[in-house]
Amino acid sequence: MGGRRPVVYVIGLGPGPSGLITLETMELLQKAGEVLVRTERHPCVEDLRARGINLRFLDHHYQEGDSMQEVYTSMAREVAEEAAAGGEVYYATPGHPLLAERTVQLLLQEELEVRLHSAVSFLDAVFSTLELDAVE
């Protein structure tokens, strides 16, 4: 089996406004020709649009699936198919891509090269708001 595996750049959008997106992540989003986004229901979406980032939302899967497992499976399938067709794809998720993101777990099981670009998670926001030290 020669050749390079398709690449999926999984990008975390953080828990809120675009100011919480890392500089590296913002540069990656701006470089992408199109970004598949798990849901349009995220506080940073309008700012990303204003920056000229081409976003394609996967919310239609929520109406088409009979269960959340089916929804996430079909989303991951669409992302994987786009990567296979074009050699690479950019996929953005709310929060941190490894925190409660079933689609990312499904993509990690595929014959893909998954490159994770972390983000602030909602846990970071909780720790700050409650002034908690995670170690304690």
Side-chain angles (χ1 to χ4, degrees), residues 63-128:
Q63 286 77 43
E64 297 166 1
D66 292 330
S67 68
M68 291 311 292
Q69 180 60 34
E70 189 176 310
V71 167
Y72 294 141
T73 298
S74 63
M75 283 181 180
R77 185 178 318 113
E78 182 173 341
V79 172
E81 287 170 357
E82 289 289 326
E88 67 180 25
V89 73
Y90 295 80
Y91 173 57
T93 65
H96 190 287
L98 290 177
L99 187 58
E101 268 307 322
R102 184 70 186 135
T103 58
V104 175
Q105 293 304 313
L106 292 168
L107 290 169
L108 288 167
Q109 297 171 18
E110 295 291 325
E111 289 295 319
L112 302 164
E113 182 179 336
V114 177
R115 298 183 187 172
L116 298 169
H117 297 273
S118 28
V120 173
S121 75
F122 77 89
L123 292 177
D124 296 291
V126 169
F127 294 146
S128 294

Side-chain angles (χ1 to χ4, degrees), residues 33-60:
E34 177 181 61
V35 180
L36 302 181
V37 185
R38 181 169 63 80
T39 181
E40 187 173 11
R41 300 182 77 173
H42 191 280
C44 75
V45 164
E46 288 310 313
D47 186 44
L48 297 178
R49 281 183 174 138
R51 292 172 184 259
I53 297 170
N54 183 19
L55 306 172
R56 178 164 44 119
F57 302 100
L58 303 181
D59 293 278
H60 64 93

